[in-house]
């Protein structure tokens, strides 16, 4: 698998094209929603050896990278939803717990 470490990742560019993926998260158990994000992102980060790298991520990988970077900024996928839909998913997740 293509596993790698990203320390202090920063999105340096985003495509004008968007992609919609169904996202879920352990922070909101067993709840999923369609989220639209840029289809491609270019990220600058430091690897585990201290080297600063830039890498392009496309479609599903781009979604995953953006999702994880949102966590670093205190944001969850439900924050992209309307208030009504977000509250509904959070209530459902609370019932699961």
């Amino acid at each position: 698998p293509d596993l790698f470490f990203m320390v202090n990742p920063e999105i340096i560019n985003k495509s004008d094209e968007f992609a919609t993926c169904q996202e879920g998260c352990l922070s909101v158990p067993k709840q999923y929603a369609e989220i639209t994000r840029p289809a491609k992102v270019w990220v600058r980060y430091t690897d585990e050896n201290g080297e600063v790298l830039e890498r392009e991520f496309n479609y599903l990988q781009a979604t995953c990278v953006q999702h994880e970077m949102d966590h670093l900024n205190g944001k969850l996928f439900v924050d992209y939803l309307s208030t009504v839909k977000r509250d509904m998913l959070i209530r459902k997740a609370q019932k699961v717990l």
Side-chain angles (χ1 to χ4, degrees):
D2 188 19
L3 299 176
F4 52 92
F5 293 90
M6 291 195 302
V7 178
N8 296 326
E10 171 189 9
I11 294 175
I12 56 174
N13 200 3
K14 300 176 183 182
S15 68
D16 292 332
E17 178 186 1
F18 288 87
T20 301
C21 289
Q22 187 176 57
E23 293 189 34
C25 184
L26 294 173
S27 299
V28 188
K30 298 186 180 181
Q31 304 306 310
Y32 306 91
E34 297 287 321
I35 305 297
T36 301
R37 299 177 181 270
K40 297 179 184 181
V41 292
W42 290 261
V43 178
R44 180 180 299 127
Y45 63 95
T46 302
D47 72 6
E48 67 273 17
N49 299 314
E51 185 177 350
V52 176
L53 302 171
E54 292 182 5
R55 182 171 173 175
E56 177 183 342
F57 296 93
N58 299 299
Y59 300 99
L60 183 57
Q61 260 194 336
T63 294
C64 294
V65 166
Q66 291 172 85
H67 176 107
E68 295 305 326
M69 288 179 68
D70 278 349
H71 284 299
L72 297 174
N73 296 311
K75 195 168 188 176
L76 299 174
F77 80 97
V78 295
D79 294 326
Y80 290 94
L81 302 173
S82 69
T83 303
V84 171
K85 186 151 185 161
R86 179 180 60 241
D87 290 348
M88 181 183 71
L89 286 181
I90 290 171
R91 280 194 304 276
K92 285 182 180 179
Q94 288 170 337
K95 287 181 183 178
V96 168
L97 295 173

